[in-house]
Amino acid sequence: MSRRPVVPPFRLVASALAAAALLTTAACSDDGAATTAADTAADQARAAERDIAEQAPTGSPTGSPTGSPTGSATASPSALTESGAKAALLTETDLEGGWNQVRDAGKWRDSMLIGQVDVAQFLTGKADASDCQELVDGLYGEDLLGKPSGASALTGFQQGDSRLLEQVAAYDRAALDDRLKWMASLPQKCDQFTLDGSGGGERTVQVTEVSAPEVGDARQGLHVTVRGDADGGPATLSLMVTAVRVGDSAVTVTGGGLDGDQKDSVEQATQAGAERLRTVLDGGTPSPQPTDLD
């Protein structure tokens, strides 16, 4: 046997009031004011039903959280920890082409990036020259995005004379977004300039924009070439650098060397690195885990 639908109590009371109003209308029909009495009774019934309805409990028909039109709250990424930063680092499995992880990546420095920008070449004055100096210093010191505000970790890989460096770190969100905008301005400010080396040699630096993989919440890419002398002969250092923001953290990948900028490997590393960082911030554990080479 099927159950009869349960009628909410407030609707039963409202119906009873409406019925009473109709009886009142019928009783008043003898005195010539039927129409007026009916209108008044109907208004009273509607008002009573509204009063009762307002006393009934209300709620979201879909059970959605307040302020969430889709019915599900969006979880914010967690803060990056030291262990999380290390877990997010790339592994040899994430890369193709025979890249070997190294122990001393944190000590890598390229002498072709050492020098002072020739300010005299800048028609717009010292402001742009300062930005270009900050660029080469940031590439040399591996802190292009500035100093991390929290946890950070770094790893590196080598393939012949080429190197690939990855850093995962937490930053202040506003400062990080400002640095990405700053990176985007460098191809125009520093399209070509001269770097005076410590030994008196001049190097020509060119900066162009490259597209970073469509990962993370914001991203920026640069291609930097430095032409000059190294080891007693002409040399060209080619670097590709990408920075991807994920929440309040970022992945920075720099790859290249005297054999070229290793564009394909940098893009692959950027893609994998951003995905691994997202997994960590969402509370997961990326696989495989990095090898401890410390």
Side-chain angles (χ1 to χ4, degrees), residues 80 85 89 145-153 167-171 176 244 246 248-252 277:
L80 185 67
L89 291 175
L145 292 182
K147 184 178 180 180
S149 63
S152 65
Q167 183 179 31
V168 176
Y171 298 89
L176 181 55
V244 175
V246 181
D248 294 338
S249 303
V251 175
T252 308
L277 176 57

Side-chain angles (χ1 to χ4, degrees), residues 90-102 157 288 290-291 293:
L90 294 167
T91 70
E92 291 180 356
T93 307
D94 296 308
L95 302 174
E96 298 176 357
W99 288 93
N100 298 310
Q101 193 172 12
V102 299
F157 304 84
T291 302
L293 295 177

Side-chain angles (χ1 to χ4, degrees), residues 75-80 246 274-286:
S76 299
S78 59
L80 185 67
V246 181
E275 291 173 356
R276 290 178 68 90
L277 176 57
R278 177 74 74 183
T279 298
V280 168
L281 294 178
D282 287 345
T285 302

Side-chain angles (χ1 to χ4, degrees), residues 14-248:
S15 298
L17 290 173
L22 292 176
L23 291 175
T24 302
T25 301
C28 295
S29 60
D30 293 339
D31 60 7
T35 301
T36 303
D39 291 341
T40 302
D43 290 341
Q44 292 174 344
R46 284 192 293 270
E49 186 170 3
R50 283 195 302 270
D51 292 340
I52 296 172
E54 290 174 356
Q55 298 175 13
T58 60
S60 172
T62 61
S64 303
T66 303
S68 175
T70 60
S72 60
T74 301
S76 299
S78 59
L80 185 67
T81 63
E82 291 291 344
S83 59
K86 292 179 180 179
L89 291 175
L90 294 167
T91 70
E92 291 180 356
T93 307
D94 296 308
L95 302 174
E96 298 176 357
W99 288 93
N100 298 310
Q101 193 172 12
V102 299
R103 293 178 179 273
D104 60 350
K107 300 178 181 179
W108 280 348
R109 298 291 185 273
D110 198 306
S111 60
M112 291 191 70
L113 294 169
I114 300 176
Q116 295 296 316
V117 173
D118 185 356
V119 180
Q121 290 187 329
F122 288 84
L123 298 177
T124 56
K126 295 183 179 180
D128 288 353
S130 176
D131 285 321
C132 301
Q133 186 70 58
E134 193 171 355
L135 167 62
V136 293
D137 291 346
L139 290 173
Y140 180 80
E142 299 162 357
D143 56 356
L144 195 61
L145 292 182
K147 184 178 180 180
S149 63
S152 65
L154 182 145
T155 190
F157 304 84
Q158 194 159 1
Q159 180 196 76
D161 290 332
S162 296
R163 294 173 175 176
L164 189 147
L165 186 76
E166 181 207 24
Q167 183 179 31
V168 176
Y171 298 89
D172 173 78
R173 170 75 69 87
L176 181 55
D177 284 337
D178 286 344
R179 291 301 284 186
L180 291 175
K181 292 177 182 178
W182 171 76
M183 285 180 63
S185 72
L186 294 178
Q188 180 176 359
K189 294 178 178 179
C190 309
D191 57 340
Q192 181 169 315
F193 60 93
T194 299
L195 191 66
D196 294 328
S198 56
E202 291 186 349
R203 305 184 185 98
T204 300
V205 183
Q206 291 180 310
V207 182
T208 57
E209 184 177 10
V210 295
S211 298
E214 292 289 327
V215 291
D217 302 318
R219 65 210 63 82
Q220 189 60 48
L222 294 174
H223 179 265
V224 180
T225 59
V226 184
R227 294 181 174 87
D229 291 332
D231 298 328
T236 299
L237 173 67
S238 296
L239 298 174
M240 177 175 173
V241 55
T242 60
V244 175
R245 179 176 69 78
V246 181
D248 294 338

